[in-house]
Amino acid sequence: MELPLVIFPEFDPVLIHLGPLPIRWYALAYVAGIVLGWWYAGILLKKASLWAPRRPPLSTVQLDDLILWITLGIILGGRLGYALFYKPEMYLHLFTGHGWGERLELFQLWTGGMSFHGGLLGCTIAVIAYSVRNRLAFLSVGDMALATAPIGLAFGRIANFINGELWGRETTVPWAIRFCNATIEKTYGLCPAGDVPRHPSQLYEAGLEGIVLLSILSLAVWKLRLLAKPGYVTGLFFLGYGIIRASLENVRQPDVGLDHLPFGLTMGMILSSPMIVIGALLIWNAWRTAPVAAPEEPEPEADPEAEKVAA
């Protein structure tokens, strides 16, 4: 039986060159996700009724500061996590690499290689550190941040598709795609995915981790008003992403060198399993905790001298 053939579009990972500086779709995906998430988080903070009987966990001015912390957490965590989970030799190359190019491979972000789980860990550390420093309720700050996270996930997975990376397993479904075009062949000298039809798993992830998960969290925020229960939205994100990612690992091609892990597991499944457990625990804890109103602001004491003047 002849296998289906869907031609992979002639995408160029570089949108435009500004002199020697290439502007890549992948970088723009990060920028778009962060900017739109920033905008959406601002809307959530301005809608005080979503947090009642509590108050929003931070001001819009504090949000502007937090975005910088989160951006650094995503980039540093994503890169360091990728090296730790998928290419630990990058750390070894810091000391044993041949030449500065190999020694500094860990810091060459433009070559690709970012881990979602590492980025999530970096983002979590950034949110907790910023909250402790500014005496904020970090669970509520996390709820706000993760309510917006699927926006960035959707853009990131679409960028993965444009790059022709993180493809799926071989398949004969009618919408299978051969991840091979002239740009990929010119870049690598061959097509790393081979000349076989594969699941467009990047688009599955963009739809489920992005659109579907954002819809679930939006329902929790706007309809069920679950921002009033700190940790609930965070738990929903962890649980939802963990289940979706672990399920889609069945159609996503494992990374080279990690395709024969015990019990048929993949690194994505292993890293997502704790998310499912943590998410369920956060939901359970938030569900059994009654919303507590924020303490009332003390009314300013009357100024006797001012009262005399008014009289």
Side-chain angles (χ1 to χ4, degrees):
M1 185 172 112
E2 186 177 351
L3 293 177
L5 175 62
V6 176
I7 303 299
F8 184 60
E10 195 61 47
F11 289 128
D12 187 341
V14 177
L15 172 62
I16 190 173
H17 284 86
L18 297 179
L21 179 65
I23 305 300
R24 299 178 180 274
W25 286 106
Y26 195 69
L28 291 177
Y30 269 79
V31 173
I34 291 171
V35 170
L36 289 178
W38 186 0
W39 167 76
Y40 183 38
I43 292 176
L44 296 179
L45 291 177
K46 291 175 182 177
K47 193 73 172 178
S49 60
L50 294 177
W51 307 87
R54 300 172 182 268
R55 292 191 297 269
L58 70 167
S59 67
T60 53
V61 173
Q62 290 173 317
L63 173 62
D64 296 344
D65 294 334
L66 176 62
I67 288 298
L68 177 59
W69 288 58
I70 289 178
T71 300
L72 292 175
I74 291 172
I75 294 174
L76 294 177
R79 184 60 172 179
L80 297 177
Y82 171 78
L84 178 64
F85 303 139
Y86 299 100
K87 293 189 69 176
E89 63 270 19
M90 283 187 178
Y91 290 102
L92 185 62
H93 288 167
L94 286 171
F95 308 100
T96 63
H98 300 289
W100 288 108
E102 190 173 69
R103 283 178 179 269
L104 299 179
E105 182 185 8
L106 179 63
F107 307 103
Q108 296 171 9
L109 300 179
W110 58 90
T111 62
M114 298 286 281
S115 163
F116 163 78
H117 294 91
L120 177 64
L121 181 58
C123 180
T124 300
I125 293 173
V127 166
I128 293 176
Y130 184 84
S131 299
V132 170
R133 179 178 178 180
N134 293 276
R135 299 182 180 180
L136 305 174
F138 70 86
L139 277 179
S140 291
V141 176
D143 288 341
M144 176 207 66
L146 291 177
T148 73
I151 299 174
L153 286 172
F155 279 104
R157 295 310 183 190
I158 292 173
N160 291 146
F161 181 76
I162 291 174
N163 287 349
E165 61 190 5
L166 303 184
W167 52 78
R169 300 175 189 258
E170 294 183 32
T171 183
T172 58
V173 297
W175 55 88
I177 294 178
R178 300 178 191 266
F179 287 94
C180 185
N181 60 25
T183 301
I184 293 175
E185 288 185 308
K186 181 179 179 181
T187 302
Y188 300 101
L190 50 79
C191 288
D195 192 30
V196 295
R198 296 181 177 275
H199 283 287
S201 55
Q202 314 97 319
L203 299 183
Y204 301 166
E205 291 182 278
L208 293 176
E209 298 171 3
I211 298 172
V212 171
L213 189 53
L214 179 63
S215 299
I216 293 172
L217 296 180
S218 296
L219 176 65
V221 168
W222 295 96
K223 185 69 175 178
L224 302 179
R225 307 286 173 139
L226 293 180
L227 288 176
K229 290 178 171 285
Y232 208 123
V233 173
T234 298
L236 281 176
F237 177 86
F238 272 65
L239 180 64
Y241 180 89
I243 292 174
I244 290 171
R245 176 65 183 271
S247 300
L248 288 179
E249 286 289 306
N250 291 293
V251 296
R252 173 172 162 167
Q253 181 69 27
D255 291 80
V256 177
L258 298 174
D259 45 0
H260 296 293
L261 297 180
F263 310 109
L265 296 175
T266 67
M267 183 58 71
M269 291 178 180
I270 294 172
L271 295 175
S272 296
S273 297
M275 291 185 65
I276 296 174
V277 176
I278 294 171
L281 290 175
L282 285 171
I283 291 173
W284 176 75
N285 182 69
W287 179 260
R288 69 188 184 91
T289 303
V292 178
E296 293 289 337
E297 294 281 352
E299 294 185 7
E301 295 183 4
D303 185 349
E305 294 299 325
E307 289 182 356
K308 290 179 180 178
V309 172

